[in-house]
Amino acid sequence: MAEAASPKAYDVVIIGGGPGGYNAAIRAGQLGLSVACVEMRETLGGTCLNVGCMPSKAMLHASELFEAATKEFPTLGIEIGTPTINVDKLQAQKQDSVTALTKGIEFLFKKNKADWIKGRGRITGPGQVEVEAADGTKTTLTAKDIVIATGSEPTPLPGVDFIEGKVVDSTGALALPAVPKTMIVVGAGIIGLELGSVWRRLGAQVTVVEYLPRITPGMDSDVATAFQRVLTKQGMTFKLGSKVTAAKSVKEGVELTVEPAAGGTAETLKADVVLVAIGRRPYTQGLGLETVGIEPDKRGFVTQDHLKTGAKGVWVIGDVTSGPMLAHKAEEDAVAVIELIAGKAGHVDYDLVPSVVYTFPEVAWVGKTEDQLKADGVAYKVGKFPFTANSRAKINHETDGYAKVLADATTDKILGVHIMGPQAGEMIHEACVAMAFGGASEDIARICHAHPTRSEAVKQAAMGVEGWTMQA
């Protein structure tokens, strides 16, 4: 093994090159700090760009168009014959997009004078990070500040081993070489439902097994119920309140042992492919956190106070710490942590981080759910508006779903906004802006919205808080 090279000094060393890490590196460069980003993948971008957010959206987009061509085009008078799916080309175009994005991050590093140090990073003491390259060469970096941005990895399911091509995690589900006839998704969260939607649209029979008695934990339960109804109408089958206890590879695919979560008789389910999507866990193993006195909690998360870990000069952002495990939350953490390091006033409001499920229809929300408001004893009002009454959605045959605005019963301050419908992920940001400025439902209700647009549904829902919805 090669001798350790002489230490190279930086103002900031970031461990992890995902959305948190690479945005922190870019911001540090913009502020004139010398910065190195340590990333063990062959490309920058982390899980999100390489095997997560971006490739899944490429697959969702392609599969959505395929389903539209097979089911919706004929009703619109567009006759193109019977479409077929070429999985090799589907995968190739996905990878082309991913490559373009990761190369773009490399360009931004050069533009902002941020160094990419290829290898696995490990803290070896205060102000020191050791990087081990693929060939075993070790380099030591020194820094005034170290930022932990290592992200997360899929959570394994006890009793179920991954089997290439048969029992897969989200990464494996994005790389299947053919459309399975049957697929079981273990976990009814965002990742499982998005990837399950991809393969259902392309022809797979999809069954979702979920331990809880509902889908999408964290989503407003009223919306979740309506969302499950839509997914069922599209062809997904749900087995809720069920736990998977074992998986066995057989000639025909995989056999899963499933039993009621509350106890009872087990049954066997069979599928060509099983996707395990029960969540993600922070990637903190082997980071040398103990060398600076940091001890993750039982789930592996590093606690923080304004992104500080408690160890001098060591910061933490993204999925490794508190707040939603979302790429855009990591990006906000990234900007805030670098600005704090640079002596500025960095801040992230975790209550205003939007969530989006990129199925069709999309589901997006920000702020409190009705469940949370009821549990907290908060008096609130509700305004709802269905997309069946929205002109643009009706013309486009996109009428599943509704918009819902929750506002304080006394002050009218917006407490939460929930949208299930076409392009909900784009529309939610109007609510984010209004809530960031402490806006009331009346503020959205009295802002002129272009007609005909889907976003008028949000305006009408806001009008509904005070009972003057006009178009439903």
Side-chain angles (χ1 to χ4, degrees):
M1 188 175 294
E3 293 292 327
S6 298
K8 186 171 181 180
Y10 290 93
D11 292 322
V12 184
V13 169
I14 301 156
I15 306 177
Y22 76 70
N23 277 286
I26 291 168
R27 187 64 181 134
Q30 288 178 338
L31 294 178
L33 300 172
S34 62
V35 58
C37 182
V38 181
E39 171 55 49
M40 63 184 181
R41 291 180 187 270
E42 290 300 313
T43 52
L44 291 166
T47 294
C48 180
L49 266 66
N50 288 280
V51 292
C53 321
M54 305 319 298
S56 68
K57 302 311 166 286
M59 300 282 278
L60 282 159
H61 176 64
S63 64
E64 190 174 313
L65 291 177
F66 177 74
E67 186 167 63
T70 55
K71 295 183 178 180
E72 186 177 354
F73 281 14
T75 67
L76 300 176
I78 303 172
E79 299 178 358
I80 57 175
T82 303
T84 58
I85 189 72
N86 184 320
V87 177
D88 289 342
K89 285 188 176 181
L90 175 70
Q91 295 288 7
Q93 63 84 29
K94 175 200 73 176
Q95 192 54 49
D96 287 345
S97 298
V98 169
T99 299
L101 289 168
T102 56
K103 290 295 183 185
I105 302 302
E106 288 186 45
F107 167 76
L108 292 172
F109 268 42
K110 292 175 182 176
K111 177 183 176 182
N112 293 284
K113 298 180 173 61
D115 290 345
W116 172 18
I117 311 298
K118 298 181 181 181
R120 186 182 296 271
R122 180 178 182 275
I123 299 171
T124 54
Q128 290 193 331
V129 174
E130 180 185 83
V131 182
E132 182 175 355
D135 63 2
T137 303
K138 293 183 179 180
T139 305
T140 297
L141 311 177
T142 63
K144 297 175 185 175
D145 291 278
I146 298 170
V147 178
I148 301 167
T150 45
S152 61
E153 60 185 350
T155 302
L157 180 62
V160 177
D161 296 326
F162 290 112
I163 305 168
E164 186 174 355
K166 285 190 172 184
V167 181
V168 299
D169 59 11
S170 55
T171 301
L174 286 167
L176 295 177
V179 179
K181 290 182 180 179
T182 54
M183 170 181 275
I184 295 174
V185 178
V186 183
I190 293 175
I191 294 172
L193 295 181
E194 286 185 355
L195 294 179
S197 291
V198 167
W199 294 108
R200 181 203 59 75
R201 292 169 186 162
L202 299 180
Q205 293 180 342
V206 176
T207 299
V208 181
V209 179
E210 168 59 45
Y211 182 82
L212 297 175
R214 54 160 291 173
I215 70 169
T216 50
M219 183 185 290
D220 183 280
S221 60
D222 177 40
V223 179
T225 299
F227 185 35
Q228 182 184 341
R229 197 158 47 237
V230 170
L231 294 176
T232 300
K233 184 174 69 174
Q234 292 175 355
M236 278 193 183
T237 301
F238 291 89
K239 289 186 69 65
L240 305 180
S242 301
K243 63 179 178 180
V244 175
T245 57
K248 182 173 70 173
S249 176
V250 295
K251 185 178 179 180
E252 300 81 17
V254 183
E255 289 184 351
L256 283 188
T257 302
V258 180
E259 58 186 63
T265 304
E267 63 176 315
T268 300
L269 301 180
K270 294 181 180 180
D272 296 324
V273 175
V274 172
L275 164 59
V276 178
I278 60 171
R280 298 184 65 83
R281 62 183 182 185
Y283 189 88
T284 51
Q285 290 292 321
L287 290 181
L289 301 180
E290 68 282 355
T291 67
V292 287
I294 298 173
E295 184 177 351
D297 67 16
K298 292 180 180 179
R299 296 182 298 164
F301 289 98
V302 176
T303 56
Q304 50 104 344
D305 178 19
H306 296 290
L307 309 176
K308 297 177 181 178
T309 63
K312 184 178 180 181
V314 182
W315 308 73
V316 63
I317 64 174
D319 287 3
V320 190
T321 190
S322 54
M325 297 176 81
L326 298 168
H328 45 282
K329 175 264 191 185
E331 292 181 359
E332 297 306 311
D333 280 355
V335 173
V337 77
I338 295 301
E339 292 185 347
L340 288 167
I341 288 171
K344 297 179 177 292
H347 175 68
V348 183
D349 187 345
Y350 291 163
D351 290 332
L352 292 182
V353 176
S355 295
V356 184
V357 188
Y358 295 93
T359 48
F360 189 88
E362 292 182 348
V363 185
W365 67 96
V366 64
K368 300 293 186 181
T369 65
E370 278 201 72
D371 314 77
Q372 290 170 326
L373 295 177
K374 289 175 182 176
D376 293 342
V378 177
Y380 65 94
K381 294 182 180 180
V382 184
K384 293 175 72 172
F385 188 82
F387 278 98
T388 52
N390 174 265
S391 300
R392 183 66 181 275
K394 208 174 189 69
I395 289 294
N396 289 6
H397 305 282
E398 301 169 337
T399 54
D400 283 327
Y402 58 89
K404 177 163 73 170
V405 176
L406 307 174
D408 187 276
T410 302
T411 66
D412 194 36
K413 181 180 179 180
I414 301 169
L415 303 176
V417 175
H418 306 264
I419 309 169
M420 180 177 74
Q423 297 190 348
E426 302 293 340
M427 290 189 285
I428 196 63
H429 300 107
E430 174 180 16
C432 294
V433 172
M435 293 172 70
F437 285 91
S441 73
E442 187 177 0
D443 293 324
I444 291 181
R446 294 190 181 277
I447 291 173
C448 183
H449 288 60
H451 176 78
T453 59
R454 303 169 183 91
S455 62
E456 288 178 284
V458 179
K459 172 185 171 76
Q460 292 288 327
M463 294 164 67
V465 171
E466 294 298 332
W468 60 291
T469 296
M470 297 172 61
Q471 295 177 6

